[in-house]
Amino acid sequence: MSTQPARGMRDFLPDDVRRRQYVMGVIARVYEQYGFAPLETPAVENIETLLGKYGEEGDRLIFKILKRGEGAATGQADLALRYDLTVPLARVVAEYRATLPKFFKRYQMQPVWRADRPQKGRFREFYQCDVDAIGSHSVVVEVELLAAACDVLARLGFADFTVRLNHRKALSGMLQASGVPAALHGETLVALDKLDKIGPDGVTRELAERGVAPAAAAALIALFSDGAAGNDAILARLEAVVGGDEAGATGVRELRAILALAAGTRAAARLRLDPSLARGLSYYTGAIFEIAVPDLAGSLGGGGRYDDLIGMFGKQAVPACGISLGLERILVVMGERGMFPPDLALAAADVMVAVWSEARLADSVALAAELRAGGLRVEVYPEADKLGKQFKYASACGVPFVAVLGDDEAARGEVALKDMRTGVQRSVPRADAGREMVAARGQAQGE
RNA sequence: GUGGGUGUAGCUCAGGGGUAGAGCUCCGGACUGUGGCUCCGGCUGUCGCGGGUUCGAAUCCCGUCAUCCACCCCA
């Protein structure tokens, strides 16, 4: 029988968990600094909550749960594993709107599931770390979210990430003004997105195949090729192309406002206007973001404004905006670059109590209890064994101290303490052993 | 959904028609109150699975499954 975890799923061994907890701790602290409150929702949602929210591709990748009991024979699904944290949030807001604050700011770090094909930095179960602000149309929300995400990455040690920025309304304005019929917007964006892969000629060909007029194609390619230009230059160009299109003008105005408001935050140096950024999730309605580093094909995070999603739950339309960071992607890059603090690899115990003989077992367990009461993390070697083996085990585990309570020590009321890093051993009164090692640990951490 | 790489010991991998291998890990010993280093000895295999070719297949062929990578899409 195979002992591997199911496809695209992973086991997290202690070192993995420590790294994950470290990163999630940094993220939670930053989000709290911005005034966001924690939220958790169930892994499973009713299937109709999820279907129709993500677009065709997204719906296809939802893990569905077949009916149980008498319904099992029908092969129908009534439940599904959540595909992201945004749609469950929208459901929660629609359900509890009356009791939530006017501006509901929440963060959520939980696993989501996608029936995708696994790849580097891509798993079927992965954690998203979302921050969202509900209830305001103001672009202050966008700026605060962008600043928080940039603070997180900076605090984790990233110095080379960029945040691509675009706007759904600016995008549709561009297409509309270029004479692309609304029905072709989706396909046109897919083709334009390939610009850096198949080049202007390839995109021109593909657009022609899809029925886009040559003049419109040329105008769009010119606009989308402006990658190296500064934000101001792109903004000016966008304004010119979008022209009188009303939605487009709104989009460009909001992008301008976001860039202006962000000037006083850590996001300012990161934001790159990118007219080609589209994003596949269908619920976005306004600004859209994507966070990237050069050494990973996928993004570290993404997000945007979704003013219509909460209204889809049939109650009241509520504006909303959010950003999602991909924990696994961040961990993959941090691992490759060796960005974790060294003390994450520390042993699980400060001291191991060796067991001299069967007769001393009870006394050794008692000694461990005394040391724990003094604030130490203490492991007891679980059986009486040759001392050599016990030291070898302690050494392999990286435990910095071994306490030996042999017959000689016990007779004198002492404990032998060996510092495994220096090899120095001395006997101290049993009552002082805890204090000695707490002091030694403090010294080691001060180094 | 499309395309490519790889499946051999617990782990990392060699072997490409003729008896199944190495390093690491693990266990024991040198070392009966003391680890790391060294040395000696030992355990571990349906060579992913199924079929075919052959006197003979880990090796060649077909299929299948798993896994990794790329595309699509995404975090």
Side-chain angles (χ1 to χ4, degrees):
Chain A
M1 192 188 299
S2 169
T3 53
Q4 291 176 318
R7 170 181 203 129
M9 312 279 171
R10 286 153 316 141
D11 298 310
F12 301 121
L13 299 183
D15 284 349
D16 301 317
V17 175
R18 290 210 194 281
R19 283 193 283 268
R20 298 172 71 82
Q21 287 178 340
Y22 161 73
V23 172
M24 285 197 281
V26 169
I27 294 172
R29 273 197 297 282
V30 172
Y31 288 172
E32 296 264 358
Q33 277 193 312
Y34 279 79
F36 291 87
L39 175 78
E40 296 197 359
T41 64
V44 172
E45 293 281 350
N46 291 318
I47 197 163
E48 59 269 21
T49 300
L50 304 185
L51 286 176
K53 308 297 191 299
Y54 302 106
E56 202 180 317
E57 179 79 2
D59 280 0
R60 211 166 54 78
L61 298 178
I62 292 173
F63 268 110
K64 300 175 176 111
I65 300 173
L66 295 179
K67 283 188 176 174
R68 300 138 307 277
E70 284 184 19
T74 66
Q76 288 177 321
D78 57 345
L79 303 173
L81 294 173
R82 66 171 164 243
Y83 178 86
D84 72 354
L85 301 179
T86 305
V87 169
L89 170 66
R91 177 185 62 70
V92 165
V93 171
E95 172 72 12
Y96 304 102
R97 179 74 182 132
T99 59
L100 295 174
K102 178 179 177 187
F103 302 118
F104 180 47
K105 298 172 67 178
R106 83 87 173 84
Y107 69 95
Q108 185 172 1
M109 301 188 290
Q110 288 192 281
V112 303
W113 293 267
R114 296 184 186 179
D116 229 344
R117 197 178 285 211
Q119 210 178 118
K120 181 176 177 182
R122 164 179 293 185
F123 309 96
R124 291 182 142 190
E125 176 182 59
F126 62 96
Y127 274 66
Q128 291 195 320
C129 306
D130 278 34
V131 253
D132 293 77
I134 310 298
S136 173
H137 287 100
S138 166
V139 291
V140 167
V141 164
E142 273 87 338
V143 172
E144 287 270 289
L145 293 168
L146 289 166
C150 291
D151 272 357
V152 164
L153 292 175
R155 202 158 299 189
L156 288 172
F158 285 92
D160 60 346
F161 64 95
T162 58
V163 181
R164 297 162 69 205
L165 172 67
N166 199 12
H167 198 293
R168 274 280 160 86
K169 285 179 182 159
L171 214 40
S172 73
M174 281 185 268
L175 296 176
Q176 205 66 47
S178 305
V180 178
L184 290 179
H185 281 190
E187 297 178 56
T188 305
L189 287 173
V190 169
L192 284 166
D193 195 49
K194 296 181 189 168
L195 200 55
D196 52 338
K197 284 163 204 138
I198 62 177
D201 294 345
V203 174
T204 304
R205 209 172 313 120
E206 214 167 293
L207 287 176
E209 282 167 17
R210 292 165 196 264
V212 175
L220 288 168
I221 288 172
L223 183 64
F224 278 50
S225 310
D226 244 0
N231 290 341
D232 290 342
I234 295 176
L235 220 39
R237 222 168 153 148
L238 270 177
E239 235 148 30
V241 172
V242 163
D245 183 83
E246 196 186 324
T250 302
V252 176
R253 199 185 324 118
E254 288 189 9
L255 287 174
R256 192 181 284 286
I258 289 169
L259 288 168
L261 276 175
T265 75
R266 207 196 289 272
R270 301 297 174 184
L271 289 171
R272 301 269 183 283
L273 219 45
D274 183 348
S276 75
L277 177 66
R279 296 190 58 75
L281 262 40
S282 60
Y283 52 60
Y284 292 122
T285 57
I288 46 181
F289 336 110
E290 198 162 285
I291 303 169
V293 284
D295 42 345
L296 194 72
S299 60
L300 291 187
R305 178 167 281 280
Y306 48 97
D307 285 345
D308 297 337
L309 182 59
I310 297 169
M312 287 173 74
F313 288 97
K315 303 196 174 175
Q316 186 187 352
V318 182
C321 186
I323 291 186
S324 178
L325 293 176
L327 179 65
E328 280 71 14
R329 300 253 167 108
I330 290 172
L331 286 163
V332 162
V333 176
M334 288 183 71
E336 281 181 354
R337 296 184 182 179
M339 289 167 66
F340 294 104
D343 57 333
L344 285 186
L346 247 42
D350 300 309
V351 55
M352 186 192 89
V353 175
V355 174
W356 172 249
S357 66
E358 290 288 336
R360 298 236 73 89
L361 257 176
D363 206 12
S364 299
V365 170
L367 172 61
E370 290 162 26
L371 296 174
R372 287 181 189 124
L376 290 162
R377 299 174 303 155
V378 185
E379 173 171 4
V380 183
Y381 195 86
E383 27 193 270
D385 204 342
K386 285 186 180 177
L387 272 190
K389 285 204 207 171
Q390 301 194 41
F391 276 94
K392 189 169 185 159
Y393 171 78
S395 184
C397 294
V399 179
F401 279 93
V402 173
V404 180
L405 185 56
D407 292 339
D408 296 351
E409 286 84 0
R412 295 195 303 268
E414 293 184 336
V415 174
L417 298 182
K418 177 159 179 174
D419 184 328
M420 297 298 284
R421 291 161 305 179
T422 62
V424 176
Q425 177 173 324
R426 61 209 179 87
S427 282
V428 302
R430 178 162 169 169
D432 297 342
R435 262 198 305 283
E436 292 274 342
M437 278 182 293
V438 169
R441 185 182 59 178
Q443 223 171 9
Q445 282 172 348
E447 276 167 10

